[in-house]
Amino acid sequence: MAELLYRLGRACARRARTVLAAWLAVLVLAGAAFVAFGGTLASSFSIPGTPTADVTERLQTALPEASGGTGTIVLTTEDGAPFTPEQEAQVADRFAAAEDVDGVESVVDPFATQTELADQRRQVEDGRTQIAAGREQIEDGRAQLAAGQEQLDAARAQLDAGQEQLDAARAQAEDAGALAQVGPQLDAQQAELDAGRAELDTQVAALEKQVAALEDQSATLEEQSAQLELSAPLLDMAADIRLVSEDGSAAVASVVFSEPNLSIEQETKDALVAVFDEPVDGVRADFSSDIAQGVPQVFGVGEAVGLVVAAVVLVVMLGTLVGAGLPILTALVGVGIGALAAMSLSGVVEMSSVTPVLGLMLGLAVGIDYSLFIVNRHRRQLKQGDDLAESIALANGTSGNAVVFAGATVLIALLALNVTGIPFLGLMGTVGALCVAIAVLIAVTLTPALLGMIGPRILSRRERAAIAATGDTAGAPAASGPGADPAAPVRPTSTVRAVATALLAVVALGVVALPALDLRTNLPDGSSEAHDSTQYRAYATVAEEFGEGTNGPLLVVADLPGEPTEAESLEQQVRIAQELFAQDDVVAVAPIGTSEDRTVAAFQVIPAEGPTSESTEQLVHDLRALEPLDGDATLGVAGSASGNIDISDKLAQALPVYLAVVVGLSLVILVLVFRSVFVPVVATLGFILSYFAALGGVVAIYQWGWLSGVFGVETPGPILNFLPTILVGILFGLAMDYQLFLGSGMREAYAHGAPARVAIVQGVRAGRAVVTAAAIIMISVFGGFVFSHSAMIRPIGFALAFGVLVDAFVVRMLLVPALMHLVGDAAWWLPRWLDRLLPDVDVEGAALERRHPHHHDDTGADAPDAAATDPDATEPEPAHR
């Protein structure tokens, strides 16, 4: 690899304009791809196979109108007075216009809906009154019918008595033989009795009809009463759900989108916000983070300040503006290509808005550092009198080889995020790896090309004059700093100092890491946003006027067994709602709807606290743990709050596996490089310490609120749920870089015969300047994102900046050398059988230097390797370079 990079560097320097044009062409192509194929960047996250995702898929089939994404528009009057009828009418017009936006399914008018809810409650009360009155009327009717029945019975008794008298008279007439004389009179009386009986039968039939009608009315009334008594509890349990505040000064409009949250086009959100660009007089409209949280600002003031600090470090280290500008230029080209190429994929894959920003952070930081390593090596060789073209090629073959290896470790660690099985996290790692790979390619191709174009101007005038004054002779040592004396003996540090350093470093890192024990993760909600943002104002208004839980309602879906009728479905909904309402930390429950076959019912559950609170998280788990309810109805929970909790749980489960993979990878890589057992173990344990220290710092500031004013944390809360996992991959890669540039110098000095403890000092001296500069640059770049406007970007920037700070300056420069000093020669012990199995990894290109000697003494003989005799002479590069 070193020989290949040597030749590549020489070729790029010779064809500098061609290389520069090629990379600019790639940049243009990446920009064109983004314009042509770039899609929507999502502001939310999802993981297939989680309980929330499963419930959402179920809803899309059974109840599609309840499965779309939602957002909230919060309206408030500027003077705190109730909305006027004119304002309500103008707001209603805005809602109608918002419903016409492509991708918006519906907008719930809070004023009309609140009126409907009030009407429903009045109707329930009126219905109860009417049912009571109807029952009284039915009882009166029954009494009247009973009286009529008594009258009919009395009339029938009179007719029966008359019939008996008539029959007796007819019998007497027959006995007396006078039937012929009295027969017509008796027949007339019989006819009267028959007519009376017929009239009586008619009245009886009419009375029976009245009784039947009255019983029908009674049954209908009882059915209505039963439905009313079932519906009334549902209204009572939803009584605390309001869309207009009690004082009438605030209203919440719910927006239902056609697609789930992850699939909502940014154009849809922008068009929705644009509806309210022309404000209603006296009314302010704010939007929840589901609507207003778009793509984070890629490059702002904080990032620019970080870049300026990096430039200052480069100027101080390299001594020239040209030299300082070259790494920044190459890094900007690299991140431009990487970020545009990544975003061009957003049209075909679901990509979160954080993904390209993370790639930019990494690409910018490592891009500057990797180019710096090569430029610094080239400058040192020029000051030693090397030929320009040979120096570029050799710098690319030695430092460039180390850059490729270091970049490979970062790349592998990022790609390993795919083993977590979490798609959006794997995509973050892949995009980050792409940006790192481009940074490596830029460093070993464009950097040599630009060095060839710049020529000797990479050195300051004073440095060029010093070379000219020596007659351009070889072997001019590059001073390592004020007072550097190549002849001065190198003394190892004292054992007492090493013990003290190790103990102090471990204790300090342990103390800093303690807050990590209280780590809580979630995705940020509106409360985490800047207090001047519309998302925060919307969240705060809803929390104050309607209760915190209204900011994160849960969607509970019940699968009802069998084929329930409408009445059975209503009964089961009431029972389920009562079970939900009985749970701790539930303030309201409202039915949303049922499927056509009435086998799926959806409910809105309002928790007592906000979506990121511990009580809401516990409530989600409690609801899912409920036993099947009466009738074997089973429950599922969905919604944004539930989805974020599921993502946090899934990430927490994946973190130990990923950490184990990275730790194992760390051990393998370091054993290959250093051919030692102790160094890889200590270096890996040091990485674990710096990782948890970084997490502790994040928890203390962003969760507990320490130094919140300094870091702009206006509302402390849970930590971004994927930060602990993404931090493992990135910090591991960077830690390996620093271990490589320091440890390889120790290994080379030891291999050249220096005592183990002396080799440690030589290695630290040889690499400390370049590692210090690289770490400061990375801290500056990452630190610039600490003051980003995005609540998701800020903790990532801090975690990376603080992680690099403790890992580079505490672990790599203090703890690891101190522990290596304590074990002495045992630090480089390796079993013979393992030594035979391991390939010879020449990371620093020492073999290349032997094949291509690049400076000579006055007699023309090859000069001895400076690293073997004077580590300070090669500072700030590792000793064997």
Side-chain angles (χ1 to χ4, degrees):
M1 176 62 75
E3 185 67 32
L4 175 64
L5 291 172
Y6 172 88
R7 296 176 182 176
L8 179 64
R10 181 180 288 275
C12 290
R14 289 177 178 174
R15 298 172 177 80
R17 296 184 185 278
T18 303
V19 173
L20 178 60
W23 278 112
L24 291 178
V26 173
L27 179 61
V28 172
L29 288 175
F34 167 66
V35 172
F37 306 110
T40 301
L41 295 175
S43 58
S44 56
F45 303 87
S46 69
I47 300 178
T50 61
T52 297
D54 293 340
V55 172
T56 302
E57 291 176 4
R58 176 87 170 100
L59 278 179
Q60 288 175 337
T61 303
L63 200 61
E65 61 270 20
S67 64
T70 59
T72 301
I73 303 173
V74 181
L75 304 165
T76 53
T77 56
E78 294 178 351
D79 58 1
F83 283 87
T84 64
E86 294 78 10
Q87 290 173 331
E88 291 184 13
Q90 293 180 50
V91 168
D93 292 338
R94 298 292 195 281
F95 293 151
E99 287 189 331
D100 294 334
V101 172
D102 187 28
V104 173
E105 189 72 22
S106 64
V107 179
V108 178
D109 186 334
F111 303 106
T113 305
Q114 191 68 48
T115 301
E116 291 176 4
L117 290 173
D119 290 342
Q120 288 178 1
R121 292 189 175 94
R122 281 195 298 270
Q123 289 172 5
V124 169
E125 294 304 321
D126 293 344
R128 283 172 171 165
T129 302
Q130 292 172 1
I131 286 173
R135 282 175 175 160
E136 290 181 2
Q137 292 175 358
I138 288 173
E139 292 302 321
D140 291 343
R142 282 175 175 162
Q144 293 174 2
L145 290 175
Q149 184 67 49
E150 290 178 359
Q151 293 175 357
L152 290 175
D153 291 342
R156 188 178 296 279
Q158 291 176 356
L159 287 174
D160 291 341
Q163 185 67 49
E164 290 178 359
Q165 293 174 359
L166 184 61
D167 290 343
R170 189 179 293 279
Q172 291 176 357
E174 288 180 353
D175 293 341
L179 184 60
Q181 291 83 3
V182 298
Q185 183 180 358
L186 293 175
D187 290 341
Q189 292 177 356
Q190 183 66 51
E192 289 179 1
L193 286 173
D194 291 342
R197 194 180 298 279
E199 177 64 23
L200 185 63
D201 290 341
T202 301
Q203 292 179 1
V204 168
L207 186 64
E208 288 176 348
K209 287 183 179 180
Q210 290 178 2
V211 170
L214 192 64
E215 293 304 322
D216 288 343
Q217 291 177 5
S218 178
T220 301
L221 191 67
E222 293 305 320
E223 183 179 350
Q224 292 175 348
S225 176
Q227 290 181 345
L228 186 66
E229 293 307 317
L230 282 175
S231 302
L234 293 177
L235 286 174
D236 292 340
M237 287 183 284
D240 288 335
I241 299 179
R242 296 187 59 88
L243 300 179
V244 179
S245 63
E246 292 184 358
D247 62 3
S249 65
V252 176
S254 179
V255 180
V256 180
F257 296 97
S258 304
E259 300 293 333
N261 281 330
L262 264 181
S263 303
I264 300 172
E265 298 286 340
Q266 186 63 39
E267 291 78 4
T268 299
K269 298 179 182 180
D270 294 340
L272 180 62
V273 174
V275 170
F276 292 85
D277 281 348
E278 183 180 348
V280 176
D281 187 32
V283 176
R284 186 182 69 197
D286 289 309
F287 303 89
S288 67
S289 56
D290 304 288
I291 298 173
Q293 189 178 50
V295 180
Q297 186 178 13
V298 173
F299 199 82
V301 176
E303 292 83 353
V305 171
L307 204 57
V308 168
V309 174
V312 171
V313 173
L314 289 170
V315 170
V316 171
M317 182 176 184
L318 301 178
T320 65
L321 293 176
V322 173
L326 192 151
I328 294 177
L329 175 62
T330 57
L332 290 176
V333 172
V335 298
I337 295 171
L340 290 173
M343 288 191 291
S344 68
L345 300 175
S346 60
V348 294
V349 296
E350 290 185 347
M351 182 179 294
S352 73
S353 56
V354 178
T355 301
V357 179
L358 185 64
L360 184 145
M361 292 169 65
L362 277 175
L364 194 59
V366 301
I368 294 175
D369 278 0
Y370 291 167
S371 182
L372 167 64
F373 296 148
I374 297 174
V375 170
N376 187 64
R377 176 61 180 255
H378 171 58
R379 280 172 40 82
R380 179 172 59 80
Q381 290 172 169
L382 287 181
K383 287 188 287 184
Q384 292 175 342
D386 288 8
D387 174 71
L388 179 67
E390 180 66 16
S391 177
I392 294 174
L394 194 60
N396 211 50
T398 52
S399 290
N401 193 46
V403 163
V404 170
F405 189 85
T409 61
V410 181
L411 188 145
I412 292 171
L414 290 172
L415 289 178
L417 284 168
N418 288 278
V419 306
T420 61
I422 300 173
F424 79 84
L425 196 61
L427 184 59
M428 282 185 185
T430 302
V431 169
L434 172 66
C435 292
V436 171
I438 292 173
V440 171
L441 291 175
I442 289 275
V444 298
T445 56
L446 184 57
T447 299
L450 294 177
L451 288 175
M453 295 176 67
I454 293 172
R457 288 176 298 166
I458 194 68
L459 300 177
S460 66
R461 292 181 180 178
R462 181 177 58 82
E463 290 169 332
R464 295 199 299 270
I467 293 175
T470 60
D472 200 26
T473 57
S480 62
D485 182 6
V490 177
R491 295 189 180 89
T493 187
S494 68
T495 300
V496 173
R497 182 176 179 180
V499 171
T501 300
L503 287 176
L504 183 61
V506 171
V507 170
L509 292 174
V511 170
V512 175
L514 280 177
L517 297 174
D518 191 40
L519 174 68
R520 285 187 59 241
T521 61
N522 208 310
L523 281 171
D525 55 20
S527 65
S528 303
E529 300 292 342
H531 284 199
D532 61 348
S533 66
T534 185
Q535 302 99 301
Y536 178 80
R537 288 196 301 268
Y539 185 96
T541 300
V542 170
E544 180 180 353
E545 299 290 344
F546 304 95
E548 283 192 41
T550 308
N551 280 302
L554 303 176
L555 180 62
V556 177
V557 179
D559 285 307
L560 308 181
E563 298 178 357
T565 63
E566 187 171 347
E568 292 171 342
S569 175
L570 181 59
E571 289 179 8
Q572 293 192 59
Q573 286 183 63
V574 172
R575 286 199 301 269
I576 293 170
Q578 289 173 335
E579 184 74 23
L580 297 175
F581 191 69
Q583 301 300 310
D584 293 338
D585 298 312
V586 171
V587 298
V589 178
I592 296 176
T594 58
S595 60
E596 291 184 3
D597 60 1
R598 295 181 291 276
T599 60
V600 177
F603 302 84
Q604 185 185 60
V605 176
I606 306 298
E609 296 184 305
T612 61
S613 67
E614 292 184 74
S615 65
T616 300
E617 182 178 350
Q618 185 61 45
L619 175 61
V620 170
H621 294 309
D622 290 344
L623 291 176
R624 288 175 176 160
L626 286 176
E627 295 294 331
L629 307 180
D630 293 342
D632 293 330
T634 57
L635 300 181
V637 185
S640 296
S642 169
N644 293 344
I645 291 169
D646 286 346
I647 292 173
S648 298
D649 291 344
K650 185 79 172 179
L651 287 165
Q653 294 169 8
L655 179 58
V657 176
Y658 180 58
L659 186 58
V661 170
V662 169
V663 167
L665 181 66
S666 169
L667 291 171
V668 171
I669 291 174
L670 293 179
V671 168
L672 280 173
V673 174
F674 299 120
R675 311 189 78 79
S676 162
V677 173
F678 180 81
V679 173
V681 170
V682 169
T684 302
L685 292 176
F687 156 70
I688 294 174
L689 275 175
S690 58
Y691 169 73
F692 282 104
L695 276 186
V698 170
V699 170
I701 292 172
Y702 292 91
Q703 183 176 317
W704 291 357
W706 292 5
L707 301 176
S708 56
V710 176
F711 293 94
V713 183
E714 295 173 306
T715 308
I719 304 305
L720 185 65
N721 51 22
F722 59 83
L723 188 152
T725 308
I726 202 78
L727 180 63
V728 171
I730 299 174
L731 190 59
F732 162 74
L734 301 180
M736 293 307 99
D737 286 358
Y738 303 138
Q739 187 63 46
L740 170 68
F741 288 111
L742 287 170
S744 58
M746 302 176 190
R747 174 68 187 178
E748 188 69 13
Y750 182 73
H752 279 80
R757 291 188 169 101
V758 173
I760 293 169
V761 178
Q762 290 179 334
V764 171
R765 287 187 182 181
R768 64 188 174 192
V770 72
V771 169
T772 298
I776 292 175
I777 290 170
M778 285 213 176
I779 293 168
S780 302
V781 173
F782 292 145
F785 290 86
V786 172
F787 302 98
S788 168
H789 202 67
S790 171
M792 284 194 282
I793 299 300
R794 290 196 297 267
I796 295 177
F798 174 83
L800 293 176
F802 188 63
V804 168
L805 175 68
V806 297
D807 191 84
F809 294 107
V810 180
V811 173
R812 305 302 152 191
M813 291 191 183
L814 295 177
L815 178 59
V816 172
L819 293 176
M820 291 177 65
H821 172 90
L822 294 178
V823 299
D825 289 332
W828 304 108
W829 175 80
L830 185 69
R832 292 183 179 179
W833 62 269
L834 184 58
D835 186 49
R836 290 193 298 268
L837 291 176
L838 294 178
D840 185 13
V841 181
D842 185 17
V843 176
E844 296 298 316
L848 179 70
E849 290 188 89
R850 290 191 292 269
R851 289 194 300 270
H852 299 275
H854 53 101
H855 56 270
H856 307 276
D857 58 20
D858 294 338
T859 65
D862 289 350
D865 189 348
T869 58
D870 176 23
D872 286 340
T874 62
E875 193 176 355
E877 293 287 341
H880 68 287
R881 292 189 180 181

